[in-house]
Amino acid sequence: MSDVGSEDFDDDQGYLGEYEGDRNEAGERHGVGRAVLPNGDTYQGMYENGKRSGQGTYRFKNGARYIGEYYQNLKHGQGIFYYPDGSKYEGSWVDDQRQGHGLYTYPNQDTYEGEWLHHQRNGQGIYHYNDTGSRYMGTWVMGKMESAGEFIHLNHRYQGNFLNNNPSGPGKYVFEIGCEQHGEYLQVDQDRGDAEEDETVSTMVLKWKPKAVTGLSLWTPAKDPSSDGEGLASADEKGGSKPPTPET
């Protein structure tokens, strides 16, 4: 599943229902109070001029829960959101959205820690795969691996550029035995026969093109050059694999 956005758990903005707590001279909720909303949600915390502002706890009737800062009825500042599926986000919020630095723990115990923008992984961050121990460290753009990054496995790592969650262009595999294999990832056509219509269907697959084996060296990200498709080998044949799409 994708990262759960808090727009799926909108706080009730109505002012009906039950309320116990402080009020200002205008009769607005102001100070410490507790409200039971018409939809069954509850909020306990600070109010300012009739709106949730300051520290508070909002409990959704579906089991979700937010503990943190509010401003003008919106989650804004530092807070923790517990989702009904067992996932959790702890970090910065801006205008009711995950934005800034935060840590998201997924139901399968994968984690992402880094920068967020509009509920999406965006900027520098680290995604850790709980089942394999592998992790991706690098740049994200609107939830996907993009630009320079490093995919770290148990006994080797891949360093290079990424595009739409896949390695793209020049890169290198670094092995613990003290050597590197330089090359590039290319999109190439792969023809396959269609059994039903007896037609040849062309699909694009990712292939690793090895170029040289050297000693360890400093990694310098580079742009994708144009290249032909000769001498291609799959990533699995070279002891590595393309990074899996993060399970979200």
Side-chain angles (χ1 to χ4, degrees):
M1 60 173 264
S2 61
D3 298 329
V4 181
S6 65
E7 66 270 11
D8 300 320
F9 304 95
D10 288 334
D11 302 0
D12 193 323
Q13 301 298 315
Y15 295 100
L16 300 177
E18 304 175 6
Y19 174 75
E20 297 180 357
D22 302 332
R23 294 181 182 271
N24 58 18
E25 293 180 355
E28 299 172 317
R29 302 173 183 183
H30 191 89
V32 180
R34 182 180 187 276
V36 179
L37 290 305
N39 66 357
D41 295 350
T42 64
Y43 172 78
Q44 184 168 356
M46 298 299 296
Y47 284 87
E48 183 176 343
N49 298 324
K51 296 183 178 181
R52 292 184 291 274
S53 289
Q55 191 72 22
T57 299
Y58 194 107
R59 298 177 185 273
F60 297 80
K61 62 181 179 181
N62 64 5
R65 176 166 45 110
Y66 173 77
I67 303 173
E69 296 176 290
Y70 276 91
Y71 179 71
Q72 298 290 302
N73 271 353
L74 302 177
K75 292 178 282 292
H76 193 94
Q78 294 296 308
I80 306 174
F81 203 112
Y82 299 89
Y83 296 92
D85 64 0
S87 58
K88 179 180 71 172
Y89 172 79
E90 180 175 3
S92 177
W93 296 80
V94 175
D95 293 337
D96 238 18
Q97 296 187 331
R98 297 187 295 268
Q99 189 160 315
H101 186 272
L103 170 64
Y104 199 112
T105 302
Y106 295 85
N108 64 358
Q109 298 305 301
D110 284 3
T111 61
Y112 170 80
E113 183 172 8
E115 297 173 301
W116 295 80
L117 179 67
H118 304 317
H119 278 320
Q120 300 290 325
R121 299 182 290 266
N122 196 87
Q124 294 298 306
I126 302 173
Y127 193 104
H128 179 266
Y129 298 84
N130 180 62
D131 58 345
T132 64
S134 298
R135 65 187 186 275
Y136 169 82
M137 304 172 59
T139 306
W140 299 79
V141 176
M142 299 310 293
K144 295 183 177 181
M145 304 171 189
E146 299 279 352
S147 190
E150 183 174 20
F151 213 96
I152 304 171
H153 301 282
L154 182 62
N155 58 4
H156 70 282
R157 64 185 63 199
Y158 176 79
Q159 298 171 339
N161 290 320
F162 289 77
L163 178 66
N164 195 29
N165 277 341
N166 291 315
S168 178
K172 66 180 182 179
Y173 282 94
V174 181
F175 299 93
E176 286 190 353
I177 58 176
C179 68
E180 301 175 350
Q181 183 184 71
H182 297 254
E184 62 181 321
Y185 272 104
L186 300 172
Q187 292 278 353
V188 298
D189 288 327
Q190 183 180 63
D191 295 335
R192 61 182 179 85
D194 191 305
E196 295 183 358
E197 300 182 5
D198 195 25
E199 295 180 351
T200 299
V201 180
S202 178
T203 59
M204 298 299 293
V205 296
L206 196 64
K207 290 291 185 179
W208 170 248
K209 180 181 179 181
K211 292 185 175 180
V213 175
T214 69
L216 298 179
S217 62
L218 180 65
W219 172 46
T220 302
K223 295 182 179 180
D224 297 357
S226 59
S227 177
D228 58 29
E230 298 179 358
L232 300 181
S234 69
D236 290 336
E237 292 172 338
K238 294 303 175 183
S241 62
K242 68 176 182 179
T245 301
E247 183 171 346
T248 60

